[in-house]
Amino acid sequence: MGTDTASTRTTGTLTAIAVAGALLALPAPAHAAPTTQGRALPERSAPHTAAWPEPVLPGAFLPSFSPRRPAAAAPAGISAKAWTVTDATTGRVVGSKQQHRQLAPASTLKTLFALTVLPKFPADMVRTVTAADLKGVGEGSSLVGIKKGQRYTVADLWRGVFLRSGNDAVHVLANMNGGWQATAKEMQAKARTLGADDTTVKTPDGYDAAGQVSSASDLALFARKGLQNADFARYCGTVRATFPGGAKGARAIVNTNRMLSGTSGVKRYPGIIGVKNGYTSKAGNTLIAAAKRNGRTLVVTVLDPKNRKNAVYKEAAALLNWGFKAG
């Protein structure tokens, strides 16, 4: 009887050890995309979540580990109404303030315009601009200087959009795409497909219009998706280019994103990639900027900082520095 009991205990102990070893050897389950009624939810930028922990059984060996480094405090003096710092590859939000607050985006909305229209026309396609192409350009708009009757390649037009934030170039491309309102509706549909639910599109160029809003989170998403397209990445990172139509047939244009061009008292940010700046009286200064350091790319969005000279660029630089250190 005593021998049977000892044998049973020994067998039970060996079985428990075997089960524990098998469980510990199991890989952590892959995270399935959350679904609703059988449909995958659209991508949203979200804070990082830890991996599912391995099971711990009574008496099991617990391996040593290094505790996660405490999150660094966000830099002081950030006055923007909303901001995000996002990992461009994973979409993990490193830090944010009111990232889903709906605000006027100004020309940062041109990133969504490019996501929607850029893939449709080859860069060497030529457009002879008509009066209808330029109809309705908003008063006080930023312009690259498109002229009626002038021939432009699609690449010229996109350089006008990204470097000079030219609303005239946006109008021409929107007309090529089926018209102003049709393009706005297509942009809205594109935003919803991406899961950018904070965005309402009224004007493809970002010109102020009642009800037109986006968020720091959505704009970061547009930039991340855009940078996956080689043409988008090239245009948004171009500092200088020649543009048709000057007195000698072409003229130099410089990117208005001072963080990229290093102009008007702003130093070029180390590792800067792009993406797009903007300003309207309603939106204030807005900026999406991406930079790469040690093989890692971050996207920062800064919306409407207090009215100080170059504040949008200084705050974006401070947030990028913080994000690269915070990990």
Side-chain angles (χ1 to χ4, degrees), residues 96-182:
S96 67
K97 171 188 173 183
Q98 297 197 58
Q99 63 172 321
H100 293 294
R101 181 176 177 180
Q102 293 178 306
L103 296 166
S107 286
T108 55
L109 193 65
K110 288 181 171 77
T111 54
L112 177 58
F113 173 71
L115 275 179
T116 306
V117 179
L118 181 57
K120 295 189 176 186
F121 306 106
D124 58 355
M125 181 177 176
V126 175
R127 176 77 167 190
T128 301
V129 174
T130 67
D133 288 338
L134 299 175
K135 184 178 180 180
V137 175
E139 183 179 353
S141 286
S142 53
L143 306 171
V144 68
I146 302 289
K147 304 295 183 184
K148 182 181 70 172
Q150 176 80 41
R151 289 163 55 87
Y152 300 91
T153 65
V154 165
D156 290 329
L157 295 171
W158 282 115
R159 284 189 284 268
V161 171
F162 277 100
L163 274 69
R164 300 304 299 174
S165 205
N167 289 2
D168 47 356
V170 175
H171 271 260
V172 175
L173 287 162
N175 258 17
M176 293 171 62
N177 189 55
W180 195 246
Q181 293 303 322

Side-chain angles (χ1 to χ4, degrees), residues 214-239:
S214 191
S215 68
S217 177
D218 284 4
L219 293 169
L221 176 59
F222 301 153
R224 287 180 51 232
K225 292 297 184 183
L227 289 171
Q228 295 172 14
N229 179 295
D231 291 329
F232 183 110
R234 183 175 66 256
Y235 290 131
C236 81
T238 299
V239 178

Side-chain angles (χ1 to χ4, degrees), residues 33 36 46 68 70 86 127 137 152 172 175 224 240 250 276 291-292 302 309-310 314:
T36 176
R68 180 183 292 274
T86 307
R127 176 77 167 190
V137 175
Y152 300 91
V172 175
N175 258 17
R224 287 180 51 232
R240 292 175 177 81
K276 189 73 191 74
K292 187 173 184 178
V302 179
K309 184 177 180 180
N310 291 326
K314 293 176 181 178

